[in-house]
Amino acid sequence: MFKKKKLPPSRQPVAVVGAGVAGLAAAVRLAVAGHPVTVFEASASFGGKMHQFDLPGAAGAYRFDAGPSLFTLPQLVDDIFRLAHRAPADYFRYERLDPITNYFFADGTRLTAWADADKFAAEVEQKLGVPAGDVAQFLARSGRAYDATAGTFLHKSLHKAGTYLSPETLKAVAALPSLGLTGTMHARHESAFGRDPRLVQLFDRYATYNGSDPYQAPATLSLIPHLEHGIGAFYPEGGIYAIAQSLHRLAEEFGVKFRFGEPVREILTAGTLVTGVRTDQDIYDFGLVVSNMDVVPTYRRLLPSQPAPERTLAQPRSSSALIFYWGVGRSFPELDVHNIFFSADYKAEFDAIFQQKTVADDVTVYVNITSKKTLTDAPAGHENWFVMVNVPHDEGQDWAALTAQTRRVVLAKLSRALGVELEPLIRAEKTWTPPGIAADTSSFGGALYGSSSNNALAAFLRHPNFSGRLDGLYFCGGSVHPGGGIPLCLLSAKIVAELILN
C-alpha cells in the first residue's frame, strides 16, 4: 500500500480549488487554524459568481454585483472574523433592509414585505384580505421549523453516522410532522393561505432560493421565509461583492496564497490518497485538497481516472438564471432594493422550467437595484437594474432565441406595471445566460445551486463534503451539502473545516 509521510494535522498544506465565497471562507478557517493554504482560481480575481463589474454609459458608469443579490444570516460572515479574533465591523458592515421586498402581482395588486413581521401581516390583511393572525401563525411555525432543524440539517454533515446519533437530530426528525412539514411546499402554503392564491404564490417563490419547484419541493423548505421575516434581509455596504472582498482581505492577513489565472487541471492521487494538484504552470504537492468547483466538473475534469459517484452526479439540476444588467436613465421611487413582478400562472412557469426545459411565455421578474443604497452604483438620477428570470439549466436550448423572446416579455411586463416605456431608458446593457454562467463559473449546465431540492430526500442525495474514496479530498460550495446561496455556501465551508480539523 502506498504510504505518505504526513506533517502534524494542523500544519498540513491545503489546496483550495476555486475562490468563490465558500472557497474563501474555507481558506480563512483553515489558515486561522494553522494550515498553510493556497487558493487556485481560474479567473483573474476572487468571488466566483459573487464578482462585480462596471458598464459604461454616456452619463457615467453603472456598477453591478454579477450573481447573488440577497443577503441573509450575516452572522455566518461575522463568525469567520470572530474566529480570527477580528472585529467584523472593521472589515465588513451591513444594514437590515426595511422593506424587504416590493411585490407586484399580475392583477395589479402591490404589496410591501416589511421587516417587522406584525407590520407585514397587517399589510397582507389590508391588501389581500388574509387575516393577519394567519400570516403571523405561519411565520411563527416557520421559525420553529428553522430552530428545530437548522442545527442538524444545515450545520452538520448528513453523511457522517455521528450526526444521526445525537439527541438534537432525533429531536429535529420528530418535530417535522408536528410542524406541518410533510408534503410539498405548494400544498403547505395552499393549506395555510388557500383563500388567496397571491399569498400562496408569494410564499411559493421561496423555492427559487435553492433553484427548486414549489410544486415538487418538500414542505420542509417552508422554513426559508424565516430567514427574511424572522431574522432579516440585509444589505452589505458596497454591495454583495463586499462579502468576498472582506474574506479575501482576511485570508491574505493569515498568509493565504492566491494563484489567480491558474486553473487546476487535475487533482493528483496515488492509491486512495490525494497527493497534489496539477496546473499548466506546475505540479504542487498537497495532502489536503478542497474543491470549491461544482462537483460534476470536479469529477469529470479534475479526477478523470477516478470512479465518479454517478447516481449523485445524475441528480436533477437546479434552475439557472437569465440576467439582464441594465443601466436605466431615470429613478423609480416606487421600487426598492428587491422587487418581484409575478407571472399570472406560476404552475405553468415552473412546468416550463422543470418539465419542458424552456422559458414560459409569462415569467416572474426579479429586479435588484443596489443604487438605492449605494448611490455611486449609478450616475445621479439613474439606477442599476439587475433583472433576473428563473430558467432551466443549459441542455442545448436555443438561448439566443429564448433570450430575445424573454427580453421582450420582461420589458413589456415591467413597462406595463410601472406605467412607462422602459426600453428607451436603457443606457447600458449586458446579459448573462445559462451557457455563460457555466463557462464563467464552471457550474454544470449553469445550474446555480447544483442539484435541485425537488424531492424529500434531496438533502441526503447531495454530494457529501468529503470523498468516500480518497483520503484528503473535500468539497464545499453550492453543489454539495448543504446547498446553494450565500448562507449555505458559508456553512459548507464551516463543515469542511471542521471535518479536516477534527
Side-chain angles (χ1 to χ4, degrees), residues 20-21 63 128 131 142 152 161 167 173 202 204 222 239 254 267 315 392-393:
V21 67
R63 191 204 71 89
L128 306 183
S142 176
T152 295
V173 172
L202 187 155
D204 277 357
S222 293
F254 276 84
I267 296 172
Q315 291 301 307
H393 71 281

Side-chain angles (χ1 to χ4, degrees), residues 17 49 264-267 291-304 308 313 317 437-439 441-447 450 475 479-480:
V17 182
K49 296 184 188 74
V264 170
R265 300 301 185 190
E266 185 179 1
I267 296 172
S291 179
N292 182 214
M293 180 187 279
D294 186 300
V295 70
V296 176
T298 295
Y299 280 100
R300 302 294 190 226
R301 299 181 202 167
L302 307 189
L303 293 163
L313 301 191
R317 297 291 95 189
I437 293 169
T441 69
S442 294
S443 302
F444 182 63
F475 302 86
S479 70
V480 299

